[in-house]
Amino acid sequence: ARMLDAETGDPVAATGFRQGSVACAAWSPDGERIAVGGTDGRLAMLDAGTGRILLDFPAHAGAVGGLAWNGPGDRLATVGSDGAVKLW
């Protein structure tokens, strides 16, 4: 997956995240991390500045359908096509 500049469309960073498998993404409130949910049920945490993968693990038995950070940015809620809602 690639991170693009919203104004120019130019690539900012390339991530090691599996291409074509991104189902959803959410920036952390402090802007330092991006949570990415995959169609394969995996959840990844990326460094927003570099695109480097900080964490990558199985989160759901089906695709991750949505992500939401809490206000302080220390918890993340995910919902999967498996019907589960999880708080990390």
Side-chain angles (χ1 to χ4, degrees):
R2 295 179 299 153
M3 295 170 54
L4 305 176
D5 182 295
E7 292 182 9
T8 66
D10 293 333
V12 175
T15 73
F17 200 74
R18 301 162 303 281
Q19 188 139 5
S21 65
V22 174
C24 53
W27 289 79
S28 64
D30 63 8
E32 293 184 12
R33 295 161 289 152
I34 306 170
V36 180
T39 57
D40 58 0
R42 295 188 71 81
L43 177 62
M45 193 71 57
L46 310 178
D47 180 290
T50 65
R52 184 174 64 91
I53 297 174
L54 305 172
L55 296 169
D56 184 7
F57 58 92
H60 289 274
V64 180
L67 305 164
W69 292 92
N70 70 345
D74 59 352
R75 303 295 298 265
L76 180 73
T78 62
V79 62
S81 64
D82 57 3
V85 176
K86 298 184 178 182
L87 187 60
W88 307 92

